[in-house]
Amino acid sequence: MPTPRRRGPRSLPTRTRRAVAALVLLAAPSASAASPAPSASPASPAPSAAPASPASLASPASLASPASLASPASPASPATSPPAPTSPTPASDAPTTGALAGTPASKPPRVDGPYIGGTIAAGGSFTRVNNFPTPDPLSGGTASLRVGQAIYPWMTIGLEITGSYALRSADPRQRLLQGAVLIDFGFLPVPRIPLSLHVGFGAGGGAVRQAGRSARSGFGGAVFTGAVRYEIFPLAARKRPRRGGGFSLGPELGWLGFTPAAAGRPMSNTVYIGLFMGFYFGT
């Protein structure tokens, strides 16, 4: 009995194959729209222009996995940009004080630079001479002229010319005339306060005349002086706000002594109080 031949698998008819191909072409656009956008990583393959085959559509490898979406190659969220550096404050905006702001940092010294001045005072003189007695003091006036230099904020040095004229009105009437040239030193204990102490030394002489006597009796030799003075500068703040010195005036209390050459010899001591006026030219 003849053995029947086995037939291979029957191929699909031509119409069936065409229908399947049409369905594949229609399903390809919808599948590409539903799938996520391809990664921008250089490792991902470029999309093929050829239509996908049914096998590739059915395989799970063609779909993008969640891991591929979270891979470093995928576009990440925009990185936070570093803050812009802040520019430092310009030096011109910094607050200015003192001389940069147009105001002096401190008041300039008033007892400053070369100076010239004088004192007009009233006082009394106690004298002793050889030819006649002088029991009572003689009252009168004293005047002096000074020129010098403030060499330190706390010290001045100058030349002084001083003289006194005094009278005794009681009987017997007497008259005194004396003068001296001295070197004057001034010291300011507190430079910002114009209170000065003055001492000086030099040479001079004088004489006393008495009514009814033709001869006069005198004295002379070493002379010493001392004084305390306080000065004010009424116009300096307005006339010289940034420059030292200026016009000054103030009270002065002083002593002028013509010392005796030996015990019992002629001498004179004058105590005065007056007004000093001067001008400091500043440095």
Side-chain angles (χ1 to χ4, degrees):
M1 184 172 184
T3 304
R5 294 188 310 174
R6 293 182 179 179
R7 297 182 179 180
R10 296 178 61 181
S11 60
L12 296 175
T14 302
R15 292 183 178 179
T16 303
R17 288 199 303 264
R18 290 178 180 178
V20 171
L23 291 176
V24 170
L25 292 177
L26 292 176
S30 61
S32 62
S35 63
S39 172
S41 170
S44 60
S48 175
S53 61
S56 64
L57 293 175
S59 63
S62 61
L63 299 178
S65 63
S68 64
L69 296 177
S71 64
S74 60
S77 60
T80 57
S81 60
T86 57
S87 61
T89 305
S92 59
D93 295 341
T96 57
T97 58
L100 296 179
T103 58
S106 61
K107 293 182 180 180
R110 293 303 169 202
V111 181
D112 184 39
Y115 70 89
I116 182 172
T119 301
I120 299 176
S125 299
F126 303 85
T127 62
R128 183 176 66 202
V129 293
N130 292 335
N131 297 337
F132 42 82
T134 54
D136 300 327
L138 291 82
S139 59
T142 299
S144 62
L145 177 67
R146 300 180 181 92
V147 292
Q149 170 79 34
I151 57 176
Y152 296 109
W154 52 270
M155 181 180 180
T156 65
I157 184 172
L159 181 66
E160 177 182 358
I161 300 174
T162 184
S164 299
Y165 180 81
L167 296 173
R168 180 177 182 268
S169 58
D171 191 35
R173 297 182 62 182
Q174 295 175 341
R175 182 178 60 191
L176 168 67
L177 183 64
Q178 62 186 9
V181 178
L182 307 104
I183 298 177
D184 177 75
F185 294 91
F187 301 92
L188 287 82
V190 182
R192 293 187 178 183
I193 300 176
L195 175 67
S196 56
L197 307 177
H198 292 261
V199 295
F201 64 91
V208 177
R209 287 182 179 270
Q210 182 172 312
R213 288 176 179 266
S214 58
R216 61 181 181 178
S217 185
F219 51 87
V223 183
F224 298 91
T225 184
V228 179
R229 182 195 309 161
Y230 185 82
E231 302 174 64
I232 60 175
F233 297 80
L235 303 176
R238 183 167 58 90
K239 298 287 186 179
R240 307 163 70 93
R242 294 183 177 86
R243 186 179 177 186
F247 172 74
S248 71
L249 58 92
E252 180 178 328
L253 175 65
W255 162 78
L256 179 64
F258 294 77
T259 60
R265 298 295 300 272
M267 62 87 181
S268 173
N269 289 285
T270 301
V271 179
Y272 66 88
I273 182 170
L275 177 67
F276 171 82
M277 292 180 293
F279 186 85
Y280 295 86
F281 294 89
T283 56

